[in-house]
Amino acid sequence: MAEELIPADSDEAAAAAGAEEEEQPIKQRKNGLYPGVSDELAENMTSGWADTELRGLEPIAQAAHTADRRAALSARFPGERLVIPSGNLKTRSNDTEYAFRASTEYAYLTGDQSEDGVLVLEPQGGGHRATIYLLPRSDRENGEFWLSGQGELWVGRRHSLAEAEQLLGIPAKDVRELPEKLREATGPVRVVRGHDAAVEAALTDKVTAERDEELRVTLSEARAVKDAFEIGELQKACDSTARGFEDVVKVLDKAEATSERYIEGTFFLRARVEGNDVGYGSICAAGPHATTLHWVRNDGPVRSGDLLLLDAGVETHTLYTADVTRTLPINGRYSELQRTIYDAVYDAQEAGIAAVKPGAKYRDFHDAAQRVLTERLVEWGLVEGPVERVLELGLQRRWTLHGTGHMLGMDVHDCAAARTEAYVDGTLEPGMCLTVEPGLYFQADDLTVPEEYRGIGVRIEDDILVTEDGNRNLSAALPRRADEVEAWMAALKQS
């Protein structure tokens, strides 16, 4: 990784290149190899560059949908200024940053994924005027483009403001002007917090935590029912995820020779080739690691005879993620006990999926799945019945542990800030997308179950869209029934 001449600060870069009225010395890395920039080099770098402005651009695919979303938000908060930031780069270590991921609220309303961007809805008439504030192209006159660590020579070209307007369908302005505009703002203001400290500082005397939380909750609930574009993106995510699972099955022998990391890397390759990234840290849990719900260390052994619980999802280029789990026999065949436990989870999932339909209570699919699992636990003698008593006391949770699903969309746990009455105590509607993911987990140190159960964890998870007449399994390309899983794995290993 090359070293830039000065830190990633465009203001410092401009000053170093002499753009400020008062000349300032170049600020370099402590151990940079160049002592400075000569006047001749600075002058040379200002000229001889081709015009790369893009013209006649078509709007992005979701532009019409994002306009509808902004209109709905405008109607919800008439007369109030609404500020939605995308967020800033976060330092990983020293002068390296984590890969940037725009805030869900910002991307949902704009379709843009730029760091430092801010969407502002300003009251106008009976509605709002939308403006997107972005970093413009790097300035070549003052040297920013090659002297700043975030200049385009270092991190790549970004769209000009004119290009952004064509793509997004929103008037664009220089984000560096925004803090002063916000400080001068009058009237009621709301901001989505937690993404841009500079924006929040500029509004510190104009906002309240309660009002800002109401904006966040509103945007969370707005995402519950997906439009046609979103459903299409979720299907793409599920299709790519299915191919990623196939990739993993084909290399299980290599994972046995290495570790769970081979599985993680294999799936990640598919996610990066076909999408933006993984939608969350992949859970590649072999053997007893399958009983750890969020096992993301992925550094354990992969052994023939054990199960592999793979919970992973591809995130599309537009930031919609799948969330799918399969529990696979590493050697291609379930043992008798593994299959007994797997079939119980499969039956529970079948009951849960059947309960997903418009007009049903959100909790119905969870209750249906938990009842099946509880019946099996009682049948196996692991907990004393009757079933109603176990469910009333929640005793099955020692082995079922988690809720049976969650909303899915731009966040893997989408709509998380929604009001309880609109989410878990709400009613399912067409266009909602949720996971159905029951599981049974017998910890390796659980002395309340027979020894042969210990260290076995099984989860099956699919992404279910509520339709007008029932539901559609978006991840149905991956087999679920035990015999179908075995046949699928055998075919892949022979291909």
Side-chain angles (χ1 to χ4, degrees):
M1 183 176 183
E3 291 187 325
E4 66 263 37
L5 296 179
I6 59 177
D9 188 310
S10 59
D11 291 336
E12 292 177 330
E20 301 293 333
E21 291 184 6
E22 184 177 340
E23 194 74 21
Q24 296 186 30
I26 293 173
K27 184 175 181 181
Q28 301 184 88
R29 289 178 184 272
K30 181 177 181 180
N31 290 298
L33 293 174
Y34 287 103
V37 177
S38 68
D39 292 342
E40 290 79 5
L41 176 58
E43 175 62 26
N44 177 274
M45 292 294 286
T46 64
S47 61
W49 305 103
D51 177 12
T52 60
E53 182 74 8
L54 304 176
R55 298 171 178 86
L57 297 175
E58 293 294 323
I60 59 174
Q62 66 266 47
H65 296 285
T66 56
D68 289 342
R69 297 166 195 167
R70 293 191 299 274
L73 184 64
S74 171
R76 177 66 179 76
F77 296 104
E80 302 187 50
R81 181 178 278 100
L82 308 176
V83 182
I84 301 95
S86 70
N88 315 124
L89 290 172
K90 291 181 173 60
T91 299
R92 180 180 185 273
S93 177
N94 188 26
D95 58 354
T96 62
E97 293 88 20
Y98 289 104
F100 180 74
R101 203 277 196 183
S103 74
T104 293
E105 296 87 354
Y106 174 86
Y108 176 74
L109 292 169
T110 67
D112 182 55
Q113 297 181 38
S114 304
E115 65 262 27
D116 303 322
V118 184
L119 173 68
V120 178
L121 300 183
E122 299 181 35
Q124 179 176 275
H128 288 80
R129 180 179 70 253
T131 305
I132 193 166
Y133 289 85
L134 301 165
L135 279 174
R137 297 287 308 279
S138 290
D139 193 328
R140 291 178 186 257
E141 289 299 316
N142 67 15
E144 174 196 352
F145 88 102
W146 72 287
L147 290 174
S148 168
Q150 291 303 316
E152 292 182 1
L153 186 145
W154 291 99
V155 299
R157 187 188 190 279
R158 53 182 174 258
H159 287 298
S160 70
L161 298 182
E163 291 168 356
E165 289 186 354
Q166 295 173 67
L167 291 167
L168 305 175
I170 312 171
K173 293 184 178 180
D174 190 334
V175 72
R176 292 171 294 193
E177 302 170 359
L178 182 60
E180 185 59 30
K181 290 180 181 292
L182 294 179
R183 281 189 285 270
E184 295 173 355
T186 58
V189 183
R190 297 177 192 256
V191 62
V192 176
R193 299 192 181 201
H195 300 299
D196 194 316
V199 167
E200 292 178 35
L203 293 170
T204 186
D205 60 341
K206 307 176 192 301
V207 295
T208 66
E210 293 77 14
R211 288 164 53 79
D212 292 348
E213 178 63 12
E214 187 178 4
L215 173 60
R216 189 171 79 102
V217 168
T218 297
L219 285 170
S220 195
E221 293 180 7
R223 300 198 307 275
V225 175
K226 272 59 180 177
D227 59 37
F229 176 84
E230 294 179 290
I231 293 169
E233 290 300 293
L234 286 167
Q235 186 63 70
K236 286 181 190 175
C238 288
D239 292 344
S240 290
T241 298
R243 288 187 284 273
F245 274 67
E246 292 175 354
D247 296 339
V248 167
V249 171
K250 291 177 181 179
V251 300
L252 280 177
D253 57 335
K254 294 181 173 64
E256 286 187 60
T258 52
S259 75
E260 295 163 339
R261 292 282 169 91
Y262 204 97
I263 295 167
E264 179 182 5
T266 298
F267 187 85
F268 180 69
L269 177 61
R270 177 67 65 173
R272 288 292 281 167
V273 167
E274 295 195 2
N276 177 60
D277 206 332
V278 290
Y280 53 95
S282 298
I283 299 168
C284 308
H289 289 162
T291 66
T292 300
L293 298 184
H294 287 171
W295 177 259
V296 292
R297 299 180 202 170
N298 299 335
D299 58 0
V302 178
R303 299 188 179 100
S304 179
D306 283 346
L307 297 176
L308 167 67
L309 189 157
L310 178 58
D311 184 337
V314 172
E315 178 185 77
T316 66
H317 293 292
T318 57
L319 307 185
Y320 289 83
T321 186
D323 181 8
V324 179
T325 306
R326 291 293 184 269
T327 305
L328 310 173
I330 293 168
N331 64 8
R333 302 286 294 182
Y334 297 100
S335 71
E336 183 178 353
L337 179 59
Q338 288 170 349
R339 186 163 187 151
T340 296
I341 296 170
Y342 185 95
D343 286 348
V345 175
Y346 172 82
D347 290 345
Q349 194 199 30
E350 282 282 276
I353 292 174
V356 175
K357 53 191 174 184
K361 294 184 182 301
Y362 178 87
R363 292 179 180 272
D364 286 354
F365 76 96
H366 168 71
D367 293 341
Q370 287 291 298
R371 175 171 290 279
V372 172
L373 294 178
T374 302
E375 289 171 350
R376 300 301 170 86
L377 292 167
V378 171
E379 178 186 325
W380 298 337
L382 302 184
V383 63
E384 182 181 350
V387 168
E388 294 298 337
R389 166 186 170 272
V390 176
L391 288 169
E392 181 181 355
L393 298 176
L395 300 180
Q396 83 285 358
R397 293 179 61 186
R398 180 182 180 103
W399 303 284
T400 65
L401 295 177
H402 54 80
T404 308
H406 51 80
M407 291 287 194
L408 183 70
M410 295 185 83
D411 288 328
V412 65
H413 295 147
D414 209 28
C415 311
R419 294 166 298 156
T420 301
E421 58 267 31
Y423 193 155
V424 295
D425 289 341
T427 301
L428 295 179
E429 302 176 38
M432 289 182 171
C433 187
L434 53 98
T435 68
V436 179
E437 51 173 314
L440 283 173
Y441 312 91
F442 301 104
Q443 305 302 317
D445 59 350
D446 187 350
L447 301 182
T448 70
V449 300
E451 185 175 359
E452 60 268 26
Y453 283 74
R454 299 173 198 166
I456 295 178
V458 174
R459 178 163 68 251
I460 312 172
E461 177 180 20
D462 285 273
D463 301 342
I464 310 299
L465 174 70
V466 183
T467 62
E468 294 289 344
D469 57 356
N471 68 66
R472 175 157 61 96
N473 185 348
L474 300 180
S475 48
L478 286 172
R480 293 185 295 125
R481 215 173 60 210
D483 58 339
E484 293 175 343
V485 170
E486 291 176 341
W488 169 72
M489 292 182 69
L492 287 172
K493 289 180 179 180
Q494 292 171 2
S495 63

